Amino acid sequence: YSALYAPTGLELNTPEGDFTESPGGDAWVEAITVTPAEVDMIYLMLIDNFTADNTSFNFDWDLTGVILNCQIMLPVDFVEVTGFWENEYNLISWTTGSEVNTHHFDIQRSADLQEWTSVESLSAAGFSAQHEHYSFRDFSRRAEEPYYRVKEVDVNGQAIYSETIRVQPYQQEAMTHLFPNPASAVVTFTLNQAILNPVAKIRDCKGVLLREIALVCPGGTCQLDVSDLEDGCYVFELSDSEGGELNTERFVKITDR
């Protein structure tokens, strides 16, 4: 929008050679020179504050060999939002495809998808026609509040929201893998957590329970004698004293020859 002149546009070798223009300028800026290496690329044209009184206007386009795709751009284009449970924090990351007049992002957390709490704010790029990457480490995470979303607020105070994601707490395996596998006489594994009166169950591959053994694991290391099993495939189940299943793993018994 030019407060003083019409029309506005690009012009080769403007007297001032200027690349930006205020409403009180002569309304013309330097043309874009496209080199052979820049052919077949996508260019973004932003038309902002195009009238003084919100009336319509005519946009003249007389270039050949160029496709013009007119669309109103959203303040932000969320490409991806991800969240991961780390040792000391939740890592929330998001990528934008483009930004127009973006001011900041609020990272929000919720337990029920109804009530949301803003846990941090990050400055936005403002204007961008390329992918921008953001991340936030939530050291104040709460396991009972697994849902996250990102709220974008533009310079006018308007807001849009990303998709909602869920961050699941990392569950450490109760035990290491059986070793060796295949086994001929003894399989060994280590408990990764304190388990009250661990119990091992061995089933055949049809699910039939063959034996149930109360384990003794000095220092957390357990050994299980499988020498009397016939050669074949078996299912090992680790449970606690209350019968809660903690781990399931298949193993193969092969007799040394």
Side-chain angles (χ1 to χ4, degrees):
Y1 164 66
S2 173
L4 303 177
Y5 301 97
T8 63
L10 306 180
E11 186 176 45
L12 283 173
N13 302 318
T14 58
E16 299 83 359
D18 49 351
F19 295 96
T20 62
E21 191 74 359
S22 67
D26 64 7
W28 293 91
V29 295
E30 186 70 29
I32 299 173
T33 301
V34 179
T35 67
E38 296 170 330
V39 175
D40 295 330
M41 296 183 69
I42 296 175
Y43 294 82
L44 176 66
M45 176 169 53
L46 172 64
I47 302 175
D48 187 30
N49 192 28
F50 48 82
T51 67
D53 55 5
N54 293 323
T55 58
S56 61
F57 71 102
N58 293 324
F59 181 74
D60 296 325
W61 184 268
D62 57 7
L63 293 181
T64 58
V66 178
I67 299 175
L68 177 64
N69 180 16
C70 293
Q71 59 180 346
I72 302 298
M73 294 185 63
L74 294 174
V76 64
D77 171 27
F78 284 106
V79 175
E80 182 182 36
V81 182
T82 59
F84 298 97
W85 180 283
E86 302 288 353
N87 287 336
E88 299 178 350
Y89 54 81
N90 285 347
L91 178 62
I92 310 301
S93 303
W94 66 98
T95 301
T96 63
S98 62
E99 297 183 36
V100 179
N101 281 332
T102 54
H103 185 267
H104 68 273
F105 296 98
D106 287 336
I107 300 91
Q108 299 185 331
R109 191 175 62 203
S110 175
D112 56 7
L113 300 177
Q114 301 297 320
E115 299 291 332
W116 292 89
T117 301
S118 292
V119 294
E120 187 59 87
S121 291
L122 297 180
S123 297
F127 289 90
S128 177
Q130 62 186 8
H131 284 189
E132 300 288 344
H133 304 282
Y134 302 86
S135 64
F136 166 67
R137 295 176 179 178
D138 184 8
F139 287 92
S140 65
R141 68 183 178 192
R142 299 176 181 176
E144 68 273 15
E145 293 184 344
Y147 299 103
Y148 286 85
R149 69 183 182 185
V150 179
K151 175 184 177 182
E152 180 277 328
V153 182
D154 64 23
V155 295
N156 298 318
Q158 297 178 324
I160 61 174
Y161 296 87
S162 73
E163 65 176 309
T164 298
I165 60 171
R166 183 174 184 176
V167 179
Q168 294 278 27
Y170 172 71
Q171 298 292 336
Q172 185 184 43
E173 293 290 332
M175 52 169 276
T176 61
H177 292 296
L178 298 174
F179 178 85
N181 190 5
S184 60
V186 176
V187 292
T188 302
F189 61 94
T190 301
L191 300 179
N192 293 328
Q193 53 187 265
I195 300 173
L196 181 63
N197 300 324
V199 175
K201 296 179 181 179
I202 297 180
R203 302 179 185 270
D204 64 20
C205 284
K206 295 181 181 179
V208 177
L209 180 63
L210 302 179
R211 65 176 66 168
E212 183 171 332
I213 308 164
L215 294 171
V216 178
C217 304
T221 299
C222 308
Q223 290 188 324
L224 191 63
D225 185 358
V226 296
S227 59
D228 60 338
L229 294 176
E230 296 182 359
D231 289 2
C233 174
Y234 296 89
V235 177
F236 170 85
E237 296 178 0
L238 175 67
S239 60
D240 56 24
S241 59
E242 298 180 352
E245 185 177 309
L246 302 175
N247 261 85
T248 300
E249 186 169 349
R250 290 177 179 268
F251 72 96
V252 175
K253 162 65 187 306
I254 298 179
T255 302
D256 286 339
R257 305 192 188 284

